[in-house]
PDB file of all heavy atoms in Angstrom:
ATOM      1  N   PRO A 345      -4.320 -25.620  21.672  1.00 87.00           N
ATOM      2  CA  PRO A 345      -5.466 -24.970  22.456  1.00 87.00           C
ATOM      3  C   PRO A 345      -5.952 -23.671  21.694  1.00 87.00           C
ATOM      4  O   PRO A 345      -5.196 -23.092  21.099  1.00 87.00           O
ATOM      5  CB  PRO A 345      -4.801 -24.585  23.745  1.00 87.00           C
ATOM      6  CG  PRO A 345      -3.589 -25.448  23.781  1.00 87.00           C
ATOM      7  CD  PRO A 345      -3.174 -25.845  22.376  1.00 87.00           C
ATOM      8  N   PHE A 354      -1.761 -13.272  16.769  1.00 89.00           N
ATOM      9  CA  PHE A 354      -1.869 -11.917  17.266  1.00 89.00           C
ATOM     10  C   PHE A 354      -0.505 -11.317  17.556  1.00 89.00           C
ATOM     11  O   PHE A 354      -0.351 -10.176  17.236  1.00 89.00           O
ATOM     12  CB  PHE A 354      -2.742 -11.932  18.502  1.00 89.00           C
ATOM     13  CG  PHE A 354      -2.875 -10.623  19.343  1.00 89.00           C
ATOM     14  CD1 PHE A 354      -3.449  -9.529  18.714  1.00 89.00           C
ATOM     15  CD2 PHE A 354      -2.109 -10.494  20.492  1.00 89.00           C
ATOM     16  CE1 PHE A 354      -3.517  -8.360  19.523  1.00 89.00           C
ATOM     17  CE2 PHE A 354      -2.195  -9.268  21.164  1.00 89.00           C
ATOM     18  CZ  PHE A 354      -2.889  -8.104  20.653  1.00 89.00           C
ATOM     19  N   ALA A 398      22.954  29.183 -17.890  1.00 65.00           N
ATOM     20  CA  ALA A 398      23.451  30.274 -18.595  1.00 65.00           C
ATOM     21  C   ALA A 398      24.252  29.923 -19.813  1.00 65.00           C
ATOM     22  O   ALA A 398      24.209  30.555 -20.894  1.00 65.00           O
ATOM     23  CB  ALA A 398      24.181  31.289 -17.795  1.00 65.00           C
ATOM     24  N   ASN A 404      17.141  31.509 -16.098  1.00 58.00           N
ATOM     25  CA  ASN A 404      17.389  31.256 -14.661  1.00 58.00           C
ATOM     26  C   ASN A 404      16.038  31.211 -13.861  1.00 58.00           C
ATOM     27  O   ASN A 404      15.934  30.492 -12.825  1.00 58.00           O
ATOM     28  CB  ASN A 404      18.305  32.282 -14.173  1.00 58.00           C
ATOM     29  CG  ASN A 404      19.811  31.976 -14.573  1.00 58.00           C
ATOM     30  OD1 ASN A 404      20.130  30.913 -14.789  1.00 58.00           O
ATOM     31  ND2 ASN A 404      20.607  33.031 -14.589  1.00 58.00           N
ATOM     32  N   ASN A 408      15.331  28.325 -11.390  1.00 59.00           N
ATOM     33  CA  ASN A 408      15.133  28.678  -9.985  1.00 59.00           C
ATOM     34  C   ASN A 408      13.857  28.157  -9.442  1.00 59.00           C
ATOM     35  O   ASN A 408      13.774  27.543  -8.201  1.00 59.00           O
ATOM     36  CB  ASN A 408      15.317  30.219  -9.641  1.00 59.00           C
ATOM     37  CG  ASN A 408      16.662  30.653  -9.841  1.00 59.00           C
ATOM     38  OD1 ASN A 408      17.594  29.933  -9.783  1.00 59.00           O
ATOM     39  ND2 ASN A 408      16.821  31.969 -10.192  1.00 59.00           N
ATOM     40  N   ILE A 457     -19.081 -20.073  11.506  1.00 76.00           N
ATOM     41  CA  ILE A 457     -20.296 -19.544  11.018  1.00 76.00           C
ATOM     42  C   ILE A 457     -20.358 -19.429   9.537  1.00 76.00           C
ATOM     43  O   ILE A 457     -21.355 -19.797   8.869  1.00 76.00           O
ATOM     44  CB  ILE A 457     -20.507 -18.093  11.742  1.00 76.00           C
ATOM     45  CG1 ILE A 457     -20.642 -18.209  13.195  1.00 76.00           C
ATOM     46  CG2 ILE A 457     -21.633 -17.428  11.072  1.00 76.00           C
ATOM     47  CD1 ILE A 457     -20.757 -16.819  13.897  1.00 76.00           C
ATOM     48  N   ARG A 480      -4.838 -12.876   0.954  1.00 88.00           N
ATOM     49  CA  ARG A 480      -3.731 -13.528   1.663  1.00 88.00           C
ATOM     50  C   ARG A 480      -2.685 -13.839   0.651  1.00 88.00           C
ATOM     51  O   ARG A 480      -1.478 -13.472   0.905  1.00 88.00           O
ATOM     52  CB  ARG A 480      -4.176 -14.737   2.268  1.00 88.00           C
ATOM     53  CG  ARG A 480      -3.263 -15.440   3.249  1.00 88.00           C
ATOM     54  CD  ARG A 480      -3.940 -16.411   4.200  1.00 88.00           C
ATOM     55  NE  ARG A 480      -4.844 -17.416   3.464  1.00 88.00           N
ATOM     56  CZ  ARG A 480      -6.105 -17.240   3.588  1.00 88.00           C
ATOM     57  NH1 ARG A 480      -6.783 -16.302   4.409  1.00 88.00           N
ATOM     58  NH2 ARG A 480      -6.905 -18.102   2.982  1.00 88.00           N
ATOM     59  N   TYR A 482      -2.123 -12.161  -2.202  1.00 87.00           N
ATOM     60  CA  TYR A 482      -1.552 -10.869  -2.674  1.00 87.00           C
ATOM     61  C   TYR A 482      -0.662 -10.335  -1.584  1.00 87.00           C
ATOM     62  O   TYR A 482       0.462  -9.853  -1.978  1.00 87.00           O
ATOM     63  CB  TYR A 482      -2.800  -9.919  -2.900  1.00 87.00           C
ATOM     64  CG  TYR A 482      -2.329  -8.496  -2.962  1.00 87.00           C
ATOM     65  CD1 TYR A 482      -1.692  -7.987  -4.177  1.00 87.00           C
ATOM     66  CD2 TYR A 482      -2.514  -7.639  -1.902  1.00 87.00           C
ATOM     67  CE1 TYR A 482      -1.235  -6.615  -4.131  1.00 87.00           C
ATOM     68  CE2 TYR A 482      -2.167  -6.327  -1.975  1.00 87.00           C
ATOM     69  CZ  TYR A 482      -1.364  -5.897  -3.067  1.00 87.00           C
ATOM     70  OH  TYR A 482      -1.120  -4.476  -3.202  1.00 87.00           O
ATOM     71  N   LEU A 496      17.596  -5.338  -1.604  1.00 92.00           N
ATOM     72  CA  LEU A 496      18.414  -4.909  -2.731  1.00 92.00           C
ATOM     73  C   LEU A 496      18.573  -3.371  -2.766  1.00 92.00           C
ATOM     74  O   LEU A 496      19.762  -2.859  -3.036  1.00 92.00           O
ATOM     75  CB  LEU A 496      17.881  -5.449  -3.978  1.00 92.00           C
ATOM     76  CG  LEU A 496      17.929  -6.983  -4.194  1.00 92.00           C
ATOM     77  CD1 LEU A 496      17.118  -7.295  -5.471  1.00 92.00           C
ATOM     78  CD2 LEU A 496      19.255  -7.524  -4.165  1.00 92.00           C
ATOM     79  N   MET A 498      18.588  -1.336  -0.235  1.00 93.00           N
ATOM     80  CA  MET A 498      19.426  -0.938   0.893  1.00 93.00           C
ATOM     81  C   MET A 498      20.807  -1.266   0.579  1.00 93.00           C
ATOM     82  O   MET A 498      21.743  -0.462   0.932  1.00 93.00           O
ATOM     83  CB  MET A 498      18.967  -1.603   2.127  1.00 93.00           C
ATOM     84  CG  MET A 498      17.630  -1.100   2.721  1.00 93.00           C
ATOM     85  SD  MET A 498      17.043  -2.194   4.115  1.00 93.00           S
ATOM     86  CE  MET A 498      18.376  -2.310   5.213  1.00 93.00           C
ATOM     87  N   LEU A 504      26.479   3.027  -2.550  1.00 91.00           N
ATOM     88  CA  LEU A 504      26.559   4.431  -3.046  1.00 91.00           C
ATOM     89  C   LEU A 504      26.715   5.475  -1.874  1.00 91.00           C
ATOM     90  O   LEU A 504      26.772   6.717  -2.208  1.00 91.00           O
ATOM     91  CB  LEU A 504      25.293   4.817  -3.822  1.00 91.00           C
ATOM     92  CG  LEU A 504      25.235   3.863  -5.248  1.00 91.00           C
ATOM     93  CD1 LEU A 504      23.893   4.158  -5.849  1.00 91.00           C
ATOM     94  CD2 LEU A 504      26.343   4.263  -6.091  1.00 91.00           C
ATOM     95  N   ALA A 519       5.907   1.083   0.131  1.00 82.00           N
ATOM     96  CA  ALA A 519       5.430   1.614  -1.225  1.00 82.00           C
ATOM     97  C   ALA A 519       5.188   0.414  -2.176  1.00 82.00           C
ATOM     98  O   ALA A 519       4.325   0.553  -3.116  1.00 82.00           O
ATOM     99  CB  ALA A 519       6.542   2.493  -1.894  1.00 82.00           C
ATOM    100  N   PRO A 523      -0.185   0.203  -5.588  1.00 77.00           N
ATOM    101  CA  PRO A 523      -0.139  -0.170  -7.063  1.00 77.00           C
ATOM    102  C   PRO A 523       0.079   0.992  -7.952  1.00 77.00           C
ATOM    103  O   PRO A 523      -0.150   2.146  -7.597  1.00 77.00           O
ATOM    104  CB  PRO A 523      -1.572  -0.769  -7.411  1.00 77.00           C
ATOM    105  CG  PRO A 523      -2.504   0.021  -6.298  1.00 77.00           C
ATOM    106  CD  PRO A 523      -1.710   0.052  -5.088  1.00 77.00           C
ATOM    107  N   VAL A 528       7.615   4.979  -7.796  1.00 81.00           N
ATOM    108  CA  VAL A 528       7.962   6.307  -7.860  1.00 81.00           C
ATOM    109  C   VAL A 528       8.111   6.944  -6.447  1.00 81.00           C
ATOM    110  O   VAL A 528       8.992   7.576  -6.139  1.00 81.00           O
ATOM    111  CB  VAL A 528       7.077   7.091  -8.706  1.00 81.00           C
ATOM    112  CG1 VAL A 528       7.388   8.619  -8.743  1.00 81.00           C
ATOM    113  CG2 VAL A 528       7.042   6.555 -10.103  1.00 81.00           C
ATOM    114  N   ILE A 529       7.080   6.557  -5.644  1.00 80.00           N
ATOM    115  CA  ILE A 529       7.116   7.035  -4.196  1.00 80.00           C
ATOM    116  C   ILE A 529       8.281   6.595  -3.494  1.00 80.00           C
ATOM    117  O   ILE A 529       8.932   7.289  -2.709  1.00 80.00           O
ATOM    118  CB  ILE A 529       5.777   6.601  -3.496  1.00 80.00           C
ATOM    119  CG1 ILE A 529       4.554   7.270  -4.155  1.00 80.00           C
ATOM    120  CG2 ILE A 529       5.840   6.926  -2.040  1.00 80.00           C
ATOM    121  CD1 ILE A 529       3.179   6.784  -3.628  1.00 80.00           C
ATOM    122  N   VAL A 544      24.823  14.919  -8.894  1.00 82.00           N
ATOM    123  CA  VAL A 544      23.999  14.340  -9.961  1.00 82.00           C
ATOM    124  C   VAL A 544      24.489  12.798 -10.259  1.00 82.00           C
ATOM    125  O   VAL A 544      23.523  12.050 -10.593  1.00 82.00           O
ATOM    126  CB  VAL A 544      24.175  15.282 -11.286  1.00 82.00           C
ATOM    127  CG1 VAL A 544      23.334  14.676 -12.382  1.00 82.00           C
ATOM    128  CG2 VAL A 544      23.626  16.675 -10.998  1.00 82.00           C
ATOM    129  N   PRO A 594      -3.548   8.130   3.040  1.00 80.00           N
ATOM    130  CA  PRO A 594      -2.401   7.214   2.669  1.00 80.00           C
ATOM    131  C   PRO A 594      -2.637   5.816   2.960  1.00 80.00           C
ATOM    132  O   PRO A 594      -2.293   4.861   2.246  1.00 80.00           O
ATOM    133  CB  PRO A 594      -1.292   7.845   3.471  1.00 80.00           C
ATOM    134  CG  PRO A 594      -1.663   9.225   3.797  1.00 80.00           C
ATOM    135  CD  PRO A 594      -3.023   9.280   3.818  1.00 80.00           C
ATOM    136  N   GLN A 622     -17.933  -9.391 -13.396  1.00 75.00           N
ATOM    137  CA  GLN A 622     -16.619  -9.993 -13.042  1.00 75.00           C
ATOM    138  C   GLN A 622     -15.628  -9.892 -14.167  1.00 75.00           C
ATOM    139  O   GLN A 622     -14.509  -9.590 -13.896  1.00 75.00           O
ATOM    140  CB  GLN A 622     -16.941 -11.462 -12.588  1.00 75.00           C
ATOM    141  CG  GLN A 622     -17.789 -11.654 -11.372  1.00 75.00           C
ATOM    142  CD  GLN A 622     -17.907 -13.132 -11.108  1.00 75.00           C
ATOM    143  OE1 GLN A 622     -17.282 -14.061 -11.667  1.00 75.00           O
ATOM    144  NE2 GLN A 622     -18.821 -13.462 -10.105  1.00 75.00           N
TER     145      GLN A 622
END
Side-chain angles (χ1 to χ4, degrees):
F354 172 74
N404 283 338
N408 288 339
I457 293 173
R480 191 158 48 248
Y482 165 75
L496 294 176
M498 288 169 57
L504 295 172
V528 178
I529 294 174
V544 175
Q622 293 179 8

